[in-house]
Amino acid sequence: MSNIKEVKNGHLYFDGCDTVELAKEFGTPIYVYSKTDIVARIDELKECFVAPYPKNRIAYAAKAFCCMGIYKLCENEGISMDVVSGGELFTAMKAKIDPEKLEFNGNNKLPSELAAAIDYGVGRIIVDGEQELDLIEKICEEQEKTTDILIRITPCVEVDTHDYIVTGRKDSKFGLNIDPDVIFPYIKRAIDSKYVRFHGFHYHLGSQLFDNKPMLDAVDVALELMKECRERFGFAPGELNIGGGVGVTYTDEVRMPFSYFYTPILEKIAAWCEKEDYEMPAIICEPGRALVAEAGIQLYTVGMTKNIPGIRRYAAIDGGMSDNIRPALYGSVYGGVVANRVDEPADEIVTICGKCCEGDSDMIIKGGKFASPRSGDIIAVFSTGAYGYSMANNYNRNPIPGVVIVEKGEAEWLIKPQSYEHMTALDLLPEMLK
Ligand code: LLP
């Protein structure tokens, strides 16, 4: 177990907190985040990404886990944030985040979302579609403002991951394709615009990546484009955002350190700049999962158990696919323990299933090794900090669980749990149904 996970008196401790006590005090199901782990990941990344090139920026991809508190934590740690919707932007505004620290992504930003971003004064808008520049210019004109942009491209580099989370292909809903007759007229418009300041390019290849080769290949594509820009227009773009995607450990994946990806990328760019007599651009990365996945666990209480001899042993928990959709959506595999009996041998094959009205899709851990779960046991599921809470839903009108942040034995609510009242607050009984 990592140093934020420890075993004491047979209980799982997480960042100094007894998870069994957390379950008692805050209730289950619940998401728990270790502040220590998130800060350590940010520090590790800063050291290889920003320390050698202080112009570089880290923009946490808030889609992985978004709430006011996580924005505040990022701001306190001196990093930027990437938002992808009016809702994520609103959350940042409500947390009083410095708008300069926000980068706004998305393939179909709504006019109202762009208007809010421009009004708020976000640091960068990542322009994603052929028509988006027109829309931004129109809004800037109305608001008598200007804005700073990057242009998102599809570098056409393949990556090895789940098909649903590949984004750098030519056939992608994201970004502009780099065919010269598409990209250069677009860049020229951006350079000439009186409403936008064009700084450079953005791409994101995909998520949960373990090989640095595609990332290095994509850099070549972007650098060529930057050079061509300088040649054609006498304008040398000064920024390159290389997206997120660094993979994490769920069960037996070997997580690579940030430096495995970023050190060779930065060295490659620096060498190219030297050769081409190009001023070193500011490089931006946008990690989501890699900063929060392993910093999060979920705690559940076991209710019913069921043994079908020779077939399967089930332990049903008080949550399921409504608070972690990833096993159903991507076939994601998780591991966990019986948190109140971690010292007992995990020698039984058990399927941890949810309480939602679905069959195989509502299995959080299919056939994991556990110390025979019994009713009342606390199950801890590991590495649930990314895209768990953020993709939670109210299927079966299960309320979305709350989130607790812990640090060195202290615990506080980060997000309160939804109640039945919250879920029904917007329901109406219209006249025609009375
Ligand atoms: N930047 C952009 C433009 C992105 O589209 C994404 C992820 C990221 C950064 C952050 O990627 P990360 O570092 O987290 O891999 N729901 C899926 C993941 C979808 C990722 C979408 N874009 C999952 O649960 O695996």
Side-chain angles (χ1 to χ4, degrees):
M1 290 202 182
S2 74
N3 53 0
I4 48 158
K5 293 195 204 100
E6 297 167 282
V7 181
K8 283 191 216 165
N9 311 321
H11 288 188
L12 172 72
Y13 276 64
F14 192 60
D15 203 347
C17 289
D18 182 345
T19 55
V20 182
E21 287 303 316
L22 288 176
K24 248 188 234 155
E25 185 182 342
F26 295 94
T28 62
I30 196 167
Y31 302 87
V32 184
Y33 282 80
S34 157
K35 184 180 162 202
T36 306
D37 195 64
I38 300 173
V39 172
R41 300 288 178 197
I42 294 175
D43 284 348
E44 180 201 334
L45 181 52
K46 276 199 232 165
E47 191 168 325
C48 68
F49 197 80
V50 183
Y53 301 95
K55 274 199 303 191
N56 289 358
R57 301 194 293 275
I58 299 165
Y60 165 65
K63 73 200 83 180
F65 173 55
C66 179
C67 63
M68 286 175 26
I70 193 83
Y71 284 124
K72 203 73 211 159
L73 193 158
C74 289
E75 191 169 62
N76 292 346
E77 296 305 311
I79 66 170
S80 298
M81 291 138 264
D82 156 42
V83 302
V84 292
S85 69
E88 287 188 358
L89 177 63
F90 181 84
T91 309
M93 287 162 67
K94 199 166 167 184
K96 303 207 163 28
I97 299 302
D98 173 3
E100 245 320 294
K101 293 274 182 193
L102 300 178
E103 320 225 339
F104 189 19
N105 258 299
N107 71 309
N108 184 25
K109 303 180 200 74
L110 306 178
S112 58
E113 293 176 323
L114 283 168
I118 291 166
D119 183 39
Y120 192 47
V122 298
R124 294 288 178 275
I125 296 178
I126 320 294
V127 182
D128 195 297
E130 286 191 40
Q131 302 94 29
E132 195 174 303
L133 195 50
D134 293 331
L135 192 52
I136 291 174
E137 288 187 308
K138 186 166 155 270
I139 294 167
C140 284
E141 188 181 2
E142 280 162 15
Q143 294 191 8
E144 297 178 5
K145 284 195 173 141
T146 57
T147 190
D148 295 275
I149 67 160
L150 298 182
I151 294 176
R152 178 162 177 172
I153 56 165
T154 46
C156 309
V157 171
E158 278 299 325
V159 289
D160 179 20
T161 188
H162 194 289
D163 219 36
Y164 290 1
I165 50 180
V166 173
T167 48
R169 291 183 180 138
K170 187 165 188 176
D171 182 3
S172 168
K173 70 175 189 177
F174 297 102
L176 273 100
N177 87 56
I178 50 174
D179 293 344
D181 56 329
V182 175
I183 198 70
F184 291 115
Y186 201 81
I187 294 169
K188 175 84 170 84
R189 275 191 52 211
I191 292 173
D192 291 344
S193 170
K194 62 177 179 176
Y195 295 109
V196 304
R197 281 173 297 279
F198 167 61
H199 293 273
F201 300 101
H202 170 289
Y203 58 79
H204 170 74
L205 302 179
S207 213
Q208 186 64 347
L209 310 180
F210 293 92
D211 183 4
N212 65 10
K213 168 113 183 15
M215 291 201 194
L216 285 158
D217 292 346
V219 163
D220 288 332
V221 175
L223 294 177
E224 265 316 297
L225 196 57
M226 290 162 82
K227 185 172 140 189
E228 183 72 19
C229 232
R230 180 174 69 175
E231 269 158 29
R232 286 189 188 220
F233 309 121
F235 176 87
E239 287 189 13
L240 176 62
N241 185 322
I242 58 176
V246 166
V248 304
T249 304
Y250 286 98
T251 51
D252 50 11
E253 303 89 340
V254 179
R255 181 187 175 130
M256 304 306 284
F258 285 121
S259 58
Y260 162 76
F261 295 95
Y262 295 128
T263 304
I265 287 177
L266 295 175
E267 280 170 358
K268 179 174 207 169
I269 297 171
W272 181 88
C273 287
E274 185 76 42
K275 184 171 112 278
E276 299 293 341
D277 192 23
Y278 197 107
E279 189 182 332
M280 183 76 183
I283 311 298
I284 302 105
C285 66
E286 283 173 349
R289 189 188 321 262
L291 294 183
V292 292
E294 291 159 55
I297 60 171
Q298 280 178 261
L299 301 177
Y300 300 99
T301 303
V302 175
M304 305 293 163
T305 58
K306 173 176 180 177
N307 187 25
I308 313 168
I311 298 186
R312 201 196 290 271
R313 186 178 286 272
Y314 287 95
I317 50 172
D318 50 357
M321 65 189 297
S322 44
D323 53 66
N324 184 359
I325 192 80
R326 299 192 69 262
L329 201 52
Y330 315 111
S332 306
V333 178
Y334 287 88
V337 293
V338 176
N340 50 308
R341 292 187 287 114
V342 200
D343 48 353
E344 292 181 21
D347 53 6
E348 206 165 81
I349 305 289
V350 182
T351 285
I352 307 296
C353 67
K355 66 187 289 296
C356 298
C357 286
E358 295 231 4
D360 281 19
S361 47
D362 190 32
M363 292 176 179
I364 297 297
I365 300 177
K366 239 182 228 177
K369 283 196 151 179
F370 287 89
S372 189
R374 302 189 283 259
S375 185
D377 277 340
I378 304 298
I379 299 286
V381 179
F382 300 145
S383 289
T384 59
Y387 305 106
Y389 183 88
S390 63
M391 293 203 291
N393 59 79
N394 287 129
Y395 183 45
N396 297 152
R397 285 235 150 159
N398 287 319
I400 294 177
V403 184
V404 164
I405 185 159
V406 295
E407 183 187 29
K408 299 187 183 81
E410 300 290 323
E412 279 183 73
W413 281 119
L414 188 58
I415 310 176
K416 287 283 197 75
Q418 254 186 355
S419 66
Y420 292 146
E421 282 302 328
H422 292 131
M423 275 192 299
T424 49
L426 303 176
D427 282 21
L428 298 171
L429 284 172
E431 276 311 311
M432 71 172 80
L433 298 179
K434 277 185 184 156

